[in-house]
Structures are given as C-alpha cells and as structure tokens.
Amino acid sequence: MSNTFRQYQSRKTFRSRVIYDPKYACCELDNLFSDPDLSLNDPDTEILKDGDTSTVWRTTTGEHKLVVKRYNIKGGWQGLKRLVRYSNAENSWRNAHILKTCGIGTPCPVALVEKRIGPLKRQTYFISEYVEAINCSSFFKEPHQHKIPLFPVAQNIIELFSLLKKYKISHGDMKGTNILISDNKPILTDLDYMRQFRSQSLFKYRHSRDKKRFIRVWQNDPAVTKLFTSLL
C-alpha cells in the first residue's frame, strides 16, 4: 500500500467495506457509513443528480458538508463484473488521490463505501467534500453574473490541461459540468473514467480526445470556442 493511503482507515465485514479519512470521523459519519441512502431522508439533503447510472446528493455530517455519489446497479451481471474489476466508486476514490498528489484540484475524498455479500460488491458509494463553486458551463455562459474575471479563469483551465499532460492523465469526460470554478481555479469532478497512462502514445490520443470534448462544449458560443481553441 502506498504512503498516500496509509493515513486512511478501513473497516471490512461480510456485508460492507469502508475506507475513510479519519479527520472527518464523527457519530454522524458512522451513521452515513452504515447506510448512506438513509441520508436522503434528511431535511438538509439536496439531490444534485438523479440518473440511471448514478445518484448524487449533498448532505451534512457533523460540521462537514459532503457529496455522496451512489453508483446504481443496472442488473445482476454488473454486480458479477465487479468481482474482477474496480467499481466506479473505487476508481473515483483512487483517482481523487492521484489528482491530489499531482496538485490538481478536486474535491477532497472522504470515503469509499461498499455494500457487499462476502466478496460480491453490490451498491457502492464515493463520498467527497462539498465545494461551493460554479460549474464551468454556467460560468462562461454568463460570466458577468458571477463577478469573476473571465480571462484568468480561462488561463487556469489551460494550466489544468498542462498539468494533466505533465502527469499523463486523461479525464475521460471533459464536459463543462465536470469542471467547477472555485476561487478562479478549476476543480475536476466525476473521476469514474479517469486514467493515468504509462504509454505516451496512448495518452496522447486520450489527451487530444479530452481537449476536443472540452471544445465541443462551446459549439454554440463562437467567442468562447475561439478563446479556448487559441489557448489550447
């Protein structure tokens, strides 16, 4: 186990596995680990996304605002596949630590929670800190409403791409809603399909695809398209 993960604690039983950052430990967090879905009934909980593949919500435990992402199981075959591969929740947990190590902004990872039957993974959850931010799409659509200078933010996004290139990291879905803007700086979210490559040639292809995906976000806004095309 790498030094990056030694600061975290884990619990494993026949029916669950939890890996978490002990600095967030409190009674409320223990309750969240026992059954994250129960927090959906809390009055302060806000649903951020309710889709077929995942459900995302914001909740509070102790003094911390957290985001819980539940990966929904489509069928029995999906559960069987998780026996031999990492789940998306595990990918997000590991990838968040990779980004932190590389100095790339992402919400702080708090916990990985798996409901299990022995070795068989069932429902899985990735829990991170909630970040007060604006998503990139909203920011560049109406920058005057947010009273944040546009060009420095654009330059910081270009720096994000430079860091991803430096560490040979491909995000896999660089749409505007997966990049948050906080304190003028970009924060990457939705790390399910992020990969760090050893092969330069394979990374080069994926990095190019990330840039093209990001440029397509602005296809209905020629000014923003021109700005990022020139910078990238």
Side-chain angles (χ1 to χ4, degrees):
M1 184 180 293
S2 68
N3 291 330
T4 305
F5 295 96
R6 285 178 184 166
Q7 60 184 303
Y8 297 96
Q9 296 184 4
S10 63
R11 308 172 185 173
K12 188 174 182 181
T13 68
F14 183 79
R15 294 196 172 275
S16 70
R17 181 174 74 129
V18 178
I19 305 174
Y20 67 99
D21 186 337
K23 75 180 181 183
Y24 295 94
C26 61
C27 292
E28 292 90 343
L29 193 64
D30 285 339
N31 292 335
L32 188 66
F33 293 161
S34 297
D35 191 348
D37 290 337
L38 290 178
S39 65
L40 286 166
N41 299 321
D42 293 344
D44 63 341
T45 290
E46 178 187 0
I47 301 290
L48 304 177
K49 175 185 176 182
D50 191 7
D52 292 334
T53 58
S54 66
T55 303
V56 183
W57 63 93
R58 182 181 67 187
T59 191
T60 303
T61 61
E63 299 177 353
H64 301 285
K65 289 184 178 180
L66 305 177
V67 172
V68 181
K69 185 171 185 178
R70 182 185 71 200
Y71 294 87
N72 300 324
I73 299 174
K74 297 178 183 178
W77 177 241
Q78 189 179 45
L80 290 173
K81 286 193 295 184
R82 288 178 179 176
L83 281 172
V84 294
R85 65 171 66 175
Y86 288 121
S87 68
N88 285 341
E90 288 175 291
N91 290 338
S92 292
W93 170 256
R94 296 174 66 87
N95 288 336
H97 289 95
I98 290 171
L99 292 182
K100 288 291 184 184
T101 300
C102 296
I104 298 172
T106 195
C108 291
V110 175
L112 163 68
V113 179
E114 298 174 344
K115 292 182 179 179
R116 289 177 165 232
I117 300 177
L120 180 62
K121 301 167 193 173
R122 298 173 62 220
Q123 211 76 60
T124 60
Y125 306 79
F126 172 59
I127 302 172
S128 60
E129 269 198 359
Y130 172 75
V131 178
E132 194 70 49
I134 311 157
N135 77 58
C136 185
S137 292
S138 297
F139 172 76
F140 282 97
K141 185 177 180 180
E142 298 178 311
H144 59 280
Q145 288 193 3
H146 306 296
K147 299 180 180 179
I148 299 173
L150 185 150
F151 196 71
V153 172
Q155 287 181 311
N156 287 335
I157 290 173
I158 300 310
E159 176 61 22
L160 166 65
F161 275 95
S162 295
L163 285 171
L164 293 172
K165 183 177 181 180
K166 176 181 178 181
Y167 293 105
K168 294 200 282 289
I169 294 171
S170 167
H171 180 272
D173 191 12
M174 288 292 277
K175 58 187 179 184
T177 52
N178 288 340
I179 303 173
L180 305 180
I181 306 299
S182 178
D183 295 329
N184 290 6
K185 296 180 181 179
I187 297 173
L188 275 180
T189 64
D190 280 0
L191 310 179
D192 310 9
Y193 301 107
M194 188 192 108
R195 284 186 61 188
Q196 187 171 33
F197 292 88
R198 293 183 180 180
S199 165
Q200 180 63 33
S201 59
L202 186 55
F203 163 72
K204 192 173 180 179
Y205 166 73
R206 293 294 185 91
H207 185 65
S208 175
R209 194 166 70 174
D210 275 351
K211 289 194 292 185
K212 289 176 182 177
R213 175 70 182 92
F214 181 72
I215 292 295
R216 283 204 310 272
V217 172
W218 321 108
Q219 59 187 350
N220 296 322
D221 193 328
V224 178
T225 297
K226 184 177 179 180
L227 171 64
F228 280 115
T229 300
S230 64
L231 290 173
L232 284 171

